[in-house]
């Protein structure tokens, strides 16, 4: 298939909507492992990294499975929006390309986390198998189609910052949506 650029390949759904598919496979790993992993590893992490503020450990340990699942759902909306923007623009969308870059960097962060703890961390299995290879493949396809924007170091920082903000926002939404039910469970468990 050719596009208006002549012999170069058009960017199709595998590249643009594939971001959402790759993200979903990666986040299935996280959904299956995050709550239990934190319960098992939090005490050892606290001991190994005493310089990390206690508030960080409390927050990490307080995320319940239901809250994490809702946060993943909220993030799905962000990734889906970026993927659709990519599809509608033939891969030219800045939102799509930023999300793609952030996804790849996210995979590298998972690998760094696994290195820091010297073992498995949620997301580290699918990062080298799905996240990083998909990102490299999609970027190669965008480059061949002539639509890949040049990536500057500043773009990487912005992409990671936006990914971090989206993650914090997704967890804030999840905490808000699940907080009332958590309070209801605590209230109903109290003796009358």
């Amino acid at each position: 298939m050719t596009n208006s650029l002549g012999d170069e390949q058009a960017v199709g759904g595998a590249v643009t909507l594939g971001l959402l598919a790759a993200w979903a496979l990666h986040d299935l790993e996280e959904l299956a492992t995050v709550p239990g992993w934190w319960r098992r590893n939090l005490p050892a992490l606290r001991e190994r990294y005493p310089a990390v503020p206690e508030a960080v450990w409390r927050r990490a340990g307080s995320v319940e499975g239901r809250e994490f699942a809702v946060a993943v759902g909220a993030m799905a909306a962000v990734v889906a929006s970026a993927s659709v923007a990519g599809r509608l623009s033939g891969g030219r969308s800045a939102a799509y390309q930023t999300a793609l870059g952030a996804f790849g960097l996210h995979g590298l962060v998972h690998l760094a986390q696994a290195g820091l703890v010297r073992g498995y961390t949620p997301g580290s299995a699918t990062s080298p198998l799905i996240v990083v290879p998909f990102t490299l493949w999609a970027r190669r396809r965008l480059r061949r189609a002539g639509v890949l924007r040049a990536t500057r170091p500043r773009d990487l920082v912005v992409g990671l910052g936006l990914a971090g903000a989206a993650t914090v926002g997704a967890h804030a939404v999840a905490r808000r949506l699940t907080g009332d039910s958590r309070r209801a469970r605590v209230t109903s468990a109290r003796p009358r």
Side-chain angles (χ1 to χ4, degrees), residues 15-16 18-19 82 94-106 131 134-140 142 148:
V15 174
T16 54
L19 172 60
Y96 164 73
Q97 289 193 23
T98 299
L100 177 65
F103 182 60
L105 291 171
H106 171 79
V131 177
F134 174 81
T135 301
L136 294 173
W137 173 80
R139 287 181 53 81
R140 201 168 37 252
L142 293 170
L148 182 64

Side-chain angles (χ1 to χ4, degrees), residues 27-112:
D27 268 47
L28 284 174
E29 176 195 359
E30 291 183 338
L31 277 169
T33 60
V34 164
W37 188 89
W38 274 114
R39 276 192 302 279
R40 289 186 306 278
N41 291 282
L42 191 58
L45 290 172
R46 272 187 167 122
E47 188 174 314
R48 187 184 293 170
Y49 301 105
V52 174
E54 184 58 30
V56 171
W57 297 128
R58 272 195 311 275
R59 176 66 183 113
S62 73
V63 177
E64 295 179 354
R66 183 167 177 241
E67 178 185 329
F68 186 74
V70 172
V72 167
M75 186 61 84
V78 173
V79 177
S81 296
S83 296
V84 168
R87 180 70 179 137
L88 294 174
S89 68
R92 289 174 176 81
S93 163
Y96 164 73
Q97 289 193 23
T98 299
L100 177 65
F103 182 60
L105 291 171
H106 171 79
L108 296 177
V109 168
H110 277 301
L111 295 175

Side-chain angles (χ1 to χ4, degrees), residues 112-177:
Q113 289 170 335
L116 280 172
V117 302
R118 297 181 216 125
Y120 174 81
T121 58
S124 65
T126 52
S127 287
L129 300 174
I130 296 171
V131 177
V132 174
F134 174 81
T135 301
L136 294 173
W137 173 80
R139 287 181 53 81
R140 201 168 37 252
R141 293 292 303 266
L142 293 170
R143 187 176 300 107
R144 271 193 267 156
V147 300
L148 182 64
R149 297 173 315 155
T151 304
R152 303 167 305 203
R154 176 183 176 273
D155 298 327
L156 299 175
V157 171
V158 168
L160 276 177
L162 291 172
T167 301
V168 168
H171 279 277
V173 166
R175 184 151 283 215
R176 177 90 174 168
L177 292 175

